[in-house]
Amino acid sequence: MQSFDHLITTRPHEVRQVLISDLHLSPEEPALVQAFLALLDDCLALPALKRLFILGDWFEVWIGDDAYLLLSEDERQTHWLTPLIVKLKQLRVAGCEILIMHGNRDFLLGQPFCNLFGAELIYEPYILSVGQQSYRLEHGDALCIDDKKYQFFRKIMRNRLTQWYLLNKSLEKRLAIADKMRQKSQQNNANKAAYIMDVNEDAVIQAVADSDALLHGHTHRPDIHQATSNKKRYVLGDWRLLDSETRQPKVSAVIGAVTADEGSDANSDNNNAEFDMYEFKMTI
């Protein structure tokens, strides 16, 4: 798999769109935050970039926009999210759209927080045109239908009444609920067979029926699969901290990019546009 660094150093004028998923950012993992900031610097250096997609689980946990929006100006200056907001705002001012999809970890993310840097919340399935093909984008958890307990939980958590109920709890109570849910999820997953937490083949075939390809994250199993005889399923990777015990740990992820010929119009979907997956690495 080609590296993203090689792509942007050899063909920077060809990169039109970048797609990432499953960053699971948190203050407890500063290396992942630094890696995301480094990716944003790469995006700012791409002259023809017009869209950045974040396809869910941007954050390890999100208890509501008010956790940041209600901070004082002094509190915001030292908050770990502020550098991300500043960098994303620079990217938006440079002309790049920022499109964010909910994941199973950050389903309470709202448009008010996204407004801080001019981003737009999008909902699955999202259809992306790549040349003459249509790509169906989603987070991926809805495809794991063999995990019936999780699907029941997902249905409840995505319900607007449930979300209204949670958002009307205090921040402290929401944080406690989130911690309890995360611990229970880890316990449940430890006892599940691997196939249960992966996508279901029938669900994939149904999802891709009206599109030319399927693109998702969630499973943390980056790969390219043959969904049907003539359609592919692309799985983006989670952002992983490698060699964490060494002086210079590394962050690795598999991300997606849409490229087009340098001479083509950067502001329109091009007939010659192509999607591929790339390895993003950074040494902290």
Side-chain angles (χ1 to χ4, degrees):
M1 183 180 296
Q2 188 180 14
S3 73
F4 185 66
D5 183 63
H6 180 74
L7 173 66
I8 64 175
T9 53
T10 59
R11 301 157 54 198
H13 293 272
E14 297 180 16
V15 184
R16 299 290 189 264
Q17 308 187 55
V18 171
L19 303 97
I20 60 178
S21 180
D22 297 275
L23 291 86
H24 294 273
L25 300 185
S26 73
E28 287 77 33
E29 293 286 0
L32 298 183
V33 177
Q34 289 184 52
F36 179 58
L37 289 170
L39 178 82
L40 293 180
D41 282 331
D42 288 344
C43 289
L44 283 165
L46 296 172
L49 186 68
K50 65 175 183 176
R51 288 190 192 124
L52 169 65
F53 286 90
I54 304 176
L55 300 181
D57 283 2
W58 184 15
F59 299 107
E60 173 68 9
V61 63
W62 191 263
I63 60 173
D65 292 4
D66 53 339
Y68 184 84
L69 296 180
L70 294 180
L71 295 176
S72 67
E73 287 300 319
D74 288 342
E75 290 171 325
R76 289 191 186 189
Q77 285 187 8
T78 57
H79 199 277
W80 69 278
L81 284 172
T82 300
L84 306 184
I85 294 170
V86 171
K87 195 77 69 175
L88 285 164
K89 190 181 295 185
Q90 292 174 4
L91 187 62
R92 187 68 190 95
V93 170
C96 177
E97 294 180 74
I98 302 166
L99 305 170
I100 302 173
M101 183 179 288
H102 288 131
N104 53 295
R105 298 276 187 171
D106 50 14
F107 54 85
L108 290 180
L109 185 68
Q111 189 60 50
F113 178 76
C114 295
N115 288 341
L116 293 176
F117 45 92
E120 177 187 354
L121 271 179
I122 58 174
Y123 299 91
E124 54 186 11
Y126 183 93
I127 305 302
L128 174 66
S129 295
V130 180
Q132 295 295 312
Q133 293 191 314
S134 62
Y135 280 57
R136 176 186 171 115
L137 310 184
E138 54 183 288
H139 177 58
D141 56 333
L143 301 169
C144 303
I145 61 173
D146 291 324
D147 191 344
K148 300 187 184 303
K149 286 185 177 180
Y150 170 73
Q151 291 302 325
F152 178 72
F153 169 80
R154 183 183 189 276
K155 185 177 181 179
I156 293 175
M157 290 297 106
R158 296 299 180 103
N159 185 282
R160 291 186 177 181
L161 184 60
T162 302
Q163 295 183 5
W164 175 86
Y165 173 80
L166 289 172
L167 291 173
N168 277 276
K169 295 282 187 182
S170 68
L171 289 172
E172 291 77 12
K173 287 184 178 180
R174 269 181 265 162
L175 189 59
I177 291 171
D179 286 341
K180 187 174 182 179
M181 286 168 53
R182 184 166 47 179
Q183 291 173 10
K184 188 173 182 180
S185 175
Q186 290 173 348
Q187 293 171 358
N188 290 339
N189 290 344
N191 299 319
K192 290 178 183 175
Y195 81 91
I196 291 179
M197 294 185 288
D198 204 351
V199 299
N200 175 279
E201 186 176 341
D202 292 336
V204 168
I205 293 173
Q206 183 177 355
V208 80
D210 297 324
S211 304
D212 298 301
L214 174 63
L215 173 63
H216 67 85
H218 177 65
T219 63
H220 299 188
R221 302 174 186 182
D223 208 341
I224 301 175
H225 303 270
Q226 202 67 40
T228 66
S229 60
N230 60 342
K231 298 180 181 182
K232 291 183 178 180
R233 175 170 68 94
Y234 298 89
V235 187
L236 300 180
D238 59 312
W239 290 47
R240 305 178 182 186
L241 181 61
L242 309 176
D243 306 322
S244 58
E245 302 303 321
T246 63
R247 286 188 59 191
Q248 293 182 303
K250 297 177 181 178
V251 172
S252 176
V254 175
I255 69 176
V258 176
T259 58
D261 290 346
E262 184 175 343
S264 56
D265 184 4
N267 295 315
S268 65
D269 292 318
N270 304 280
N271 291 338
N272 64 351
E274 296 181 349
F275 172 83
D276 208 346
M277 289 165 58
Y278 300 86
E279 187 175 22
F280 173 79
K281 280 189 174 182
M282 179 191 174
T283 300
I284 305 300

